[in-house]
Amino acid sequence: MASLLYDEYGMQQYSFHWSLLLRWGCLGMLLVLAAGILVRPRPELRPVWMTCLCLAGCQSAITVAYAMQFPFACNQNMRFFAQAFVPFACLFGLGCGHFCQRAGWAGRCVIAVMGLAWLVGLGDFCWTLLF
């Protein structure tokens, strides 16, 4: 993700056509995830929200601790972050619900544009690497 956001390696040798769409789609996903983390949901969803926050926070702290201890083994350290996928996916779903329900048609448009940008960018990424 850091390589994608900061264009660390450039990936110029692969000549992606729509790499900017993949970057903006990922940034849109982070925006929706931030909404899922920061916005309090309805009362019946609060236990799930708090559980996901606790699980994601604890697993992120463990990953950061390993990354600080072994800074040059990031691929090996990411295995400790795999357990946080489910809580982050639930928080992303809560963020999507927030955008769709509370923000009305504008929120739905944000979700649609973000999803389309991510899919087109990911499709270009896969097409360029595979073919």
Side-chain angles (χ1 to χ4, degrees):
M1 185 63 130
S3 297
L4 179 71
L5 293 177
Y6 297 120
D7 203 19
E8 186 175 276
Y9 300 111
M11 295 190 280
Q12 298 300 324
Q13 68 271 23
Y14 293 111
S15 67
F16 294 120
H17 303 293
W18 299 303
S19 63
L20 193 62
L21 286 176
L22 183 60
R23 180 175 299 144
W24 284 105
C26 287
L27 288 173
M29 292 175 112
L30 288 175
L31 174 73
V32 173
L33 180 64
I37 291 171
L38 298 175
V39 177
R40 290 182 63 162
R42 298 185 316 244
E44 62 268 13
L45 293 175
R46 284 196 188 128
V48 173
W49 178 63
M50 292 181 72
T51 303
C52 288
L53 284 177
C54 289
L55 290 173
C58 291
Q59 203 61 41
S60 297
I62 291 170
T63 303
V64 167
Y66 276 105
M68 290 176 70
Q69 190 174 10
F70 306 107
F72 300 109
C74 64
N75 287 338
Q76 296 297 324
N77 291 334
M78 289 311 292
R79 64 185 170 179
F80 300 111
F81 196 63
Q83 292 84 3
F85 176 75
V86 172
F88 277 118
C90 292
L91 291 169
F92 181 79
L94 288 171
C96 284
H98 168 71
F99 270 90
C100 289
Q101 189 176 42
R102 294 186 186 169
W105 65 271
R108 290 183 189 105
C109 287
V110 167
I111 295 291
V113 167
M114 177 268 311
L116 184 64
W118 184 74
L119 284 174
V120 169
L122 185 65
D124 176 48
F125 177 78
C126 291
W127 181 264
T128 304
L129 288 180
L130 293 176
F131 302 107

Short mmCIF file of all heavy atoms in Angstrom, two decimals, residues 41-73:
data_model
loop_
_atom_site.label_atom_id
_atom_site.label_comp_id
_atom_site.label_asym_id
_atom_site.label_seq_id
_atom_site.Cartn_x
_atom_site.Cartn_y
_atom_site.Cartn_z
N PRO A 41 -22.01 3.88 14.80
CA PRO A 41 -23.17 3.33 14.10
C PRO A 41 -24.42 3.33 14.99
O PRO A 41 -24.39 3.79 16.13
CB PRO A 41 -22.73 1.90 13.77
CG PRO A 41 -21.76 1.56 14.83
CD PRO A 41 -21.07 2.85 15.20
N ARG A 42 -25.48 2.79 14.44
CA ARG A 42 -26.74 2.67 15.20
C ARG A 42 -26.50 1.83 16.44
O ARG A 42 -25.57 1.03 16.51
CB ARG A 42 -27.80 2.00 14.32
CG ARG A 42 -28.15 2.78 13.09
CD ARG A 42 -29.29 2.14 12.34
NE ARG A 42 -29.19 0.70 12.22
CZ ARG A 42 -29.04 0.05 11.08
NH1 ARG A 42 -28.99 0.71 9.95
NH2 ARG A 42 -28.97 -1.26 11.06
N PRO A 43 -27.36 1.98 17.45
CA PRO A 43 -27.14 1.27 18.73
C PRO A 43 -27.04 -0.25 18.59
O PRO A 43 -26.26 -0.89 19.31
CB PRO A 43 -28.35 1.66 19.57
CG PRO A 43 -28.80 2.95 19.02
CD PRO A 43 -28.48 2.91 17.54
N GLU A 44 -27.78 -0.84 17.67
CA GLU A 44 -27.73 -2.30 17.55
C GLU A 44 -26.44 -2.80 16.90
O GLU A 44 -26.10 -3.97 16.99
CB GLU A 44 -28.95 -2.84 16.79
CG GLU A 44 -29.06 -2.36 15.37
CD GLU A 44 -29.90 -1.11 15.21
OE1 GLU A 44 -30.20 -0.45 16.23
OE2 GLU A 44 -30.26 -0.79 14.07
N LEU A 45 -25.69 -1.90 16.24
CA LEU A 45 -24.42 -2.29 15.62
C LEU A 45 -23.20 -1.89 16.45
O LEU A 45 -22.08 -2.24 16.10
CB LEU A 45 -24.31 -1.64 14.23
CG LEU A 45 -25.30 -2.12 13.18
CD1 LEU A 45 -25.16 -1.32 11.91
CD2 LEU A 45 -25.10 -3.59 12.90
N ARG A 46 -23.41 -1.20 17.54
CA ARG A 46 -22.27 -0.73 18.35
C ARG A 46 -21.43 -1.85 18.95
O ARG A 46 -20.20 -1.73 19.00
CB ARG A 46 -22.75 0.24 19.42
CG ARG A 46 -23.04 1.57 18.82
CD ARG A 46 -23.15 2.67 19.82
NE ARG A 46 -23.63 3.85 19.09
CZ ARG A 46 -24.65 4.57 19.46
NH1 ARG A 46 -25.31 4.27 20.56
NH2 ARG A 46 -25.02 5.61 18.76
N PRO A 47 -22.02 -2.97 19.42
CA PRO A 47 -21.14 -4.05 19.93
C PRO A 47 -20.21 -4.61 18.85
O PRO A 47 -19.04 -4.88 19.12
CB PRO A 47 -22.12 -5.11 20.43
CG PRO A 47 -23.37 -4.37 20.72
CD PRO A 47 -23.42 -3.25 19.72
N VAL A 48 -20.73 -4.77 17.64
CA VAL A 48 -19.89 -5.26 16.54
C VAL A 48 -18.80 -4.24 16.22
O VAL A 48 -17.63 -4.59 16.02
CB VAL A 48 -20.76 -5.53 15.29
CG1 VAL A 48 -19.90 -5.87 14.09
CG2 VAL A 48 -21.75 -6.63 15.56
N TRP A 49 -19.18 -2.96 16.20
CA TRP A 49 -18.23 -1.88 15.91
C TRP A 49 -17.10 -1.85 16.94
O TRP A 49 -15.92 -1.77 16.58
CB TRP A 49 -19.00 -0.57 15.88
CG TRP A 49 -18.20 0.66 15.65
CD1 TRP A 49 -17.46 0.97 14.53
CD2 TRP A 49 -18.06 1.77 16.54
NE1 TRP A 49 -16.89 2.20 14.68
CE2 TRP A 49 -17.23 2.72 15.90
CE3 TRP A 49 -18.56 2.05 17.80
CZ2 TRP A 49 -16.91 3.93 16.50
CZ3 TRP A 49 -18.23 3.26 18.39
CH2 TRP A 49 -17.42 4.18 17.74
N MET A 50 -17.47 -1.93 18.22
CA MET A 50 -16.45 -1.88 19.27
C MET A 50 -15.55 -3.11 19.25
O MET A 50 -14.34 -3.02 19.46
CB MET A 50 -17.11 -1.71 20.63
CG MET A 50 -17.77 -0.35 20.78
SD MET A 50 -18.52 -0.09 22.36
CE MET A 50 -17.08 0.07 23.37
N THR A 51 -16.13 -4.28 18.97
CA THR A 51 -15.33 -5.49 18.87
C THR A 51 -14.34 -5.40 17.72
O THR A 51 -13.16 -5.74 17.87
CB THR A 51 -16.24 -6.72 18.69
OG1 THR A 51 -17.16 -6.78 19.77
CG2 THR A 51 -15.44 -7.99 18.59
N CYS A 52 -14.80 -4.92 16.57
CA CYS A 52 -13.92 -4.78 15.41
C CYS A 52 -12.82 -3.76 15.68
O CYS A 52 -11.67 -3.96 15.28
CB CYS A 52 -14.72 -4.39 14.18
SG CYS A 52 -15.73 -5.71 13.54
N LEU A 53 -13.15 -2.66 16.35
CA LEU A 53 -12.14 -1.67 16.69
C LEU A 53 -11.07 -2.26 17.61
O LEU A 53 -9.88 -2.03 17.41
CB LEU A 53 -12.78 -0.45 17.36
CG LEU A 53 -13.52 0.52 16.46
CD1 LEU A 53 -14.15 1.63 17.30
CD2 LEU A 53 -12.60 1.11 15.42
N CYS A 54 -11.50 -3.02 18.60
CA CYS A 54 -10.54 -3.64 19.54
C CYS A 54 -9.65 -4.65 18.82
O CYS A 54 -8.42 -4.64 19.01
CB CYS A 54 -11.28 -4.30 20.69
SG CYS A 54 -12.02 -3.14 21.83
N LEU A 55 -10.25 -5.51 18.02
CA LEU A 55 -9.46 -6.52 17.31
C LEU A 55 -8.49 -5.89 16.31
O LEU A 55 -7.31 -6.27 16.25
CB LEU A 55 -10.37 -7.50 16.59
CG LEU A 55 -11.18 -8.44 17.48
CD1 LEU A 55 -12.16 -9.24 16.65
CD2 LEU A 55 -10.25 -9.36 18.25
N ALA A 56 -8.96 -4.91 15.55
CA ALA A 56 -8.10 -4.25 14.57
C ALA A 56 -7.00 -3.46 15.26
O ALA A 56 -5.84 -3.46 14.81
CB ALA A 56 -8.92 -3.34 13.67
N GLY A 57 -7.32 -2.80 16.36
CA GLY A 57 -6.31 -2.03 17.09
C GLY A 57 -5.23 -2.91 17.69
O GLY A 57 -4.04 -2.60 17.59
N CYS A 58 -5.64 -4.00 18.31
CA CYS A 58 -4.66 -4.92 18.91
C CYS A 58 -3.76 -5.54 17.85
O CYS A 58 -2.53 -5.61 18.02
CB CYS A 58 -5.37 -6.00 19.71
SG CYS A 58 -6.19 -5.40 21.18
N GLN A 59 -4.35 -6.01 16.77
CA GLN A 59 -3.55 -6.64 15.73
C GLN A 59 -2.63 -5.63 15.04
O GLN A 59 -1.51 -5.95 14.68
CB GLN A 59 -4.45 -7.34 14.72
CG GLN A 59 -3.75 -8.43 13.96
CD GLN A 59 -3.24 -9.53 14.88
OE1 GLN A 59 -3.89 -9.95 15.82
NE2 GLN A 59 -2.03 -9.98 14.62
N SER A 60 -3.11 -4.40 14.87
CA SER A 60 -2.26 -3.36 14.29
C SER A 60 -1.09 -3.03 15.22
O SER A 60 0.04 -2.80 14.76
CB SER A 60 -3.07 -2.09 14.01
OG SER A 60 -4.07 -2.36 13.06
N ALA A 61 -1.33 -3.01 16.52
CA ALA A 61 -0.25 -2.75 17.48
C ALA A 61 0.80 -3.85 17.44
O ALA A 61 2.01 -3.57 17.50
CB ALA A 61 -0.82 -2.60 18.88
N ILE A 62 0.36 -5.09 17.32
CA ILE A 62 1.31 -6.21 17.22
C ILE A 62 2.14 -6.09 15.94
O ILE A 62 3.36 -6.27 15.96
CB ILE A 62 0.56 -7.56 17.27
CG1 ILE A 62 -0.01 -7.78 18.67
CG2 ILE A 62 1.46 -8.71 16.85
CD1 ILE A 62 -0.97 -8.94 18.77
N THR A 63 1.50 -5.73 14.84
CA THR A 63 2.21 -5.59 13.58
C THR A 63 3.21 -4.45 13.64
O THR A 63 4.34 -4.57 13.14
CB THR A 63 1.21 -5.37 12.43
OG1 THR A 63 0.29 -6.47 12.42
CG2 THR A 63 1.91 -5.30 11.10
N VAL A 64 2.83 -3.34 14.24
CA VAL A 64 3.74 -2.20 14.37
C VAL A 64 4.93 -2.58 15.25
O VAL A 64 6.08 -2.22 14.96
CB VAL A 64 3.00 -0.96 14.92
CG1 VAL A 64 3.96 0.12 15.37
CG2 VAL A 64 2.04 -0.42 13.88
N ALA A 65 4.69 -3.33 16.32
CA ALA A 65 5.78 -3.75 17.20
C ALA A 65 6.77 -4.63 16.44
O ALA A 65 8.00 -4.45 16.58
CB ALA A 65 5.22 -4.49 18.40
N TYR A 66 6.28 -5.57 15.64
CA TYR A 66 7.18 -6.41 14.86
C TYR A 66 7.89 -5.60 13.78
O TYR A 66 9.06 -5.84 13.48
CB TYR A 66 6.43 -7.58 14.23
CG TYR A 66 6.29 -8.75 15.15
CD1 TYR A 66 5.08 -9.03 15.75
CD2 TYR A 66 7.37 -9.57 15.43
CE1 TYR A 66 4.94 -10.11 16.62
CE2 TYR A 66 7.25 -10.65 16.29
CZ TYR A 66 6.04 -10.91 16.87
OH TYR A 66 5.92 -11.97 17.72
N ALA A 67 7.20 -4.64 13.17
CA ALA A 67 7.82 -3.82 12.13
C ALA A 67 8.94 -2.96 12.71
O ALA A 67 9.94 -2.72 12.04
CB ALA A 67 6.77 -2.96 11.46
N MET A 68 8.76 -2.48 13.93
CA MET A 68 9.82 -1.69 14.55
C MET A 68 10.99 -2.56 14.99
O MET A 68 12.14 -2.15 14.94
CB MET A 68 9.25 -0.92 15.73
CG MET A 68 8.33 0.20 15.30
SD MET A 68 7.56 1.04 16.66
CE MET A 68 8.96 1.90 17.34
N GLN A 69 10.68 -3.79 15.39
CA GLN A 69 11.73 -4.69 15.84
C GLN A 69 12.53 -5.24 14.65
O GLN A 69 13.75 -5.39 14.74
CB GLN A 69 11.12 -5.83 16.64
CG GLN A 69 12.14 -6.68 17.34
CD GLN A 69 11.45 -7.71 18.24
OE1 GLN A 69 10.24 -7.90 18.19
NE2 GLN A 69 12.24 -8.38 19.05
N PHE A 70 11.85 -5.55 13.56
CA PHE A 70 12.49 -6.09 12.36
C PHE A 70 12.08 -5.24 11.15
O PHE A 70 11.22 -5.65 10.37
CB PHE A 70 12.07 -7.55 12.14
CG PHE A 70 12.31 -8.43 13.33
CD1 PHE A 70 11.25 -8.88 14.10
CD2 PHE A 70 13.60 -8.80 13.68
CE1 PHE A 70 11.46 -9.69 15.19
CE2 PHE A 70 13.82 -9.61 14.78
CZ PHE A 70 12.75 -10.06 15.53
N PRO A 71 12.69 -4.08 10.96
CA PRO A 71 12.20 -3.14 9.93
C PRO A 71 12.43 -3.59 8.50
O PRO A 71 11.75 -3.11 7.60
CB PRO A 71 12.97 -1.86 10.23
CG PRO A 71 14.19 -2.30 10.95
CD PRO A 71 13.80 -3.53 11.71
N PHE A 72 13.35 -4.50 8.25
CA PHE A 72 13.66 -4.87 6.88
C PHE A 72 13.01 -6.18 6.45
O PHE A 72 13.36 -6.73 5.43
CB PHE A 72 15.18 -4.96 6.69
CG PHE A 72 15.86 -3.66 6.97
CD1 PHE A 72 16.63 -3.50 8.10
CD2 PHE A 72 15.68 -2.58 6.13
CE1 PHE A 72 17.25 -2.29 8.37
CE2 PHE A 72 16.28 -1.37 6.38
CZ PHE A 72 17.07 -1.22 7.52
N ALA A 73 12.07 -6.65 7.23
CA ALA A 73 11.38 -7.90 6.90
C ALA A 73 9.88 -7.64 6.79
O ALA A 73 9.08 -8.33 7.38
CB ALA A 73 11.67 -8.95 7.96
#
